[in-house]
Amino acid sequence: MVRGKTEIKRIENTTSRQVTFSKRRGGLLKKAFELSVLCDAEVSLIIFSQKGKLFEFSSSSTNKTIERYQKNDKNLGHENILLEQTTEHLKGEVMSMTRNLEVLEISKRRLLGEDLESCSIDELEKVEGQLDQSLRNIRAKKNQLFKEQISLLKDKEKVLMKKNAELREKYEARSLPLFIDRREDESPQTQNMEVDTQLFIGLPER
């Protein structure tokens, strides 16, 4: 037969309550002993009956276990304090960053020419100064980019001029044989040859 599930509530009958206490106390002490042996754990169990009678079990010493618990509890309390302090510090930083973001948002809108109705003369002059400084920075950056682009174009021009000169040299080297003077092929004897001629008047001799 399947045992019914016991309802967990105070037993009203005194005798039944005492019997249940004795049985469950023994089982609990047994479980504590088994846990300490099987798992090599430090276990301490303290039980007070309804009449104030003490029942205890300790795998080492109840007092030492209590001291260890109190020390660990203090460390946990110290860690909790540090955690609370860190949390408060982070909350303060979040609030400070939120305020800074709001100030930056207002400043951005004013730089865009928005929400100027509530600005005083000093605030408007401050915004004007910021715009002037922004324009100077933009112009300086623009000039820098122009100079860099001009420098790159000059470098490309030098490369192209060098390549053009090389191509011209190759072209001239290939065309040179077409303009060689033919007299260079004639031998010195041919160039210095003279033809002797004589003039005879009258009938030719037979």
Side-chain angles (χ1 to χ4, degrees):
M1 294 178 64
V2 180
R3 296 180 58 184
K5 189 174 181 180
T6 304
E7 185 180 1
I8 303 301
K9 67 177 184 178
R10 184 176 184 274
I11 300 174
E12 298 298 333
N13 186 275
T14 304
T15 303
S16 299
R17 186 168 61 243
Q18 184 63 34
V19 171
T20 302
F21 174 77
S22 299
K23 290 182 179 179
R24 302 229 172 185
R25 180 198 64 205
L28 186 59
L29 293 172
K30 181 180 179 182
K31 291 294 183 182
F33 171 74
E34 291 175 353
L35 179 63
S36 64
V37 174
L38 295 174
C39 302
D40 194 22
E42 183 177 353
V43 180
S44 289
L45 178 62
I46 300 175
I47 303 173
F48 286 96
S49 67
Q50 185 182 10
K51 295 181 179 181
K53 187 176 181 180
L54 173 64
F55 301 91
E56 64 177 325
F57 166 81
S58 178
S59 57
S60 58
S61 170
T62 303
N63 292 331
K64 290 182 178 180
T65 304
I66 292 174
E67 290 177 359
R68 183 177 180 182
Y69 169 77
Q70 291 175 344
K71 183 178 180 181
N72 186 71
D73 186 58
K74 289 181 180 179
N75 292 334
L76 289 175
H78 182 65
E79 291 179 358
N80 290 332
I81 293 173
L82 291 177
L83 181 60
E84 291 177 358
Q85 292 176 350
T86 304
T87 303
E88 292 297 325
H89 178 69
L90 291 175
K91 287 181 179 179
E93 288 189 351
V94 170
M95 293 177 64
S96 177
M97 292 179 65
T98 303
R99 288 192 295 267
N100 291 335
L101 288 174
E102 292 176 354
V103 172
L104 290 174
E105 185 65 24
I106 294 173
S107 177
K108 185 188 76 172
R109 289 199 298 268
R110 289 178 177 178
L111 289 173
L112 294 174
E114 301 174 357
D115 298 339
L116 299 178
E117 293 81 4
S118 60
C119 293
S120 62
I121 296 177
D122 292 337
E123 291 175 341
L124 291 174
E125 289 179 350
K126 183 179 179 181
V127 173
E128 185 180 7
Q130 291 176 347
L131 289 173
D132 290 338
Q133 183 63 40
S134 298
L135 287 174
R136 285 193 292 269
N137 294 337
I138 292 171
R139 292 192 183 102
K141 183 62 178 179
K142 186 178 179 181
N143 293 332
Q144 179 186 353
L145 292 176
F146 278 146
K147 290 179 180 179
E148 292 177 356
Q149 290 180 357
I150 292 171
S151 178
L152 290 174
L153 291 174
K154 287 182 177 180
D155 292 339
K156 290 181 179 180
E157 182 184 9
K158 291 179 181 179
V159 173
L160 291 175
M161 290 179 66
K162 184 178 179 181
K163 289 183 178 180
N164 190 18
E166 293 175 353
L167 291 173
R168 182 177 298 173
E169 291 177 359
K170 290 180 180 180
Y171 176 77
E172 291 177 353
R174 291 179 180 178
S175 303
L176 184 61
L178 298 176
F179 301 99
I180 295 177
D181 192 352
R182 293 181 179 180
R183 290 179 297 178
E184 294 180 358
D185 296 336
E186 298 179 357
S187 61
Q189 295 178 355
T190 305
Q191 294 177 3
N192 298 326
M193 182 180 298
E194 295 181 359
V195 179
D196 295 332
T197 59
Q198 294 181 0
L199 177 62
F200 294 95
I201 301 174
L203 296 172
E205 296 179 357
R206 295 181 178 178

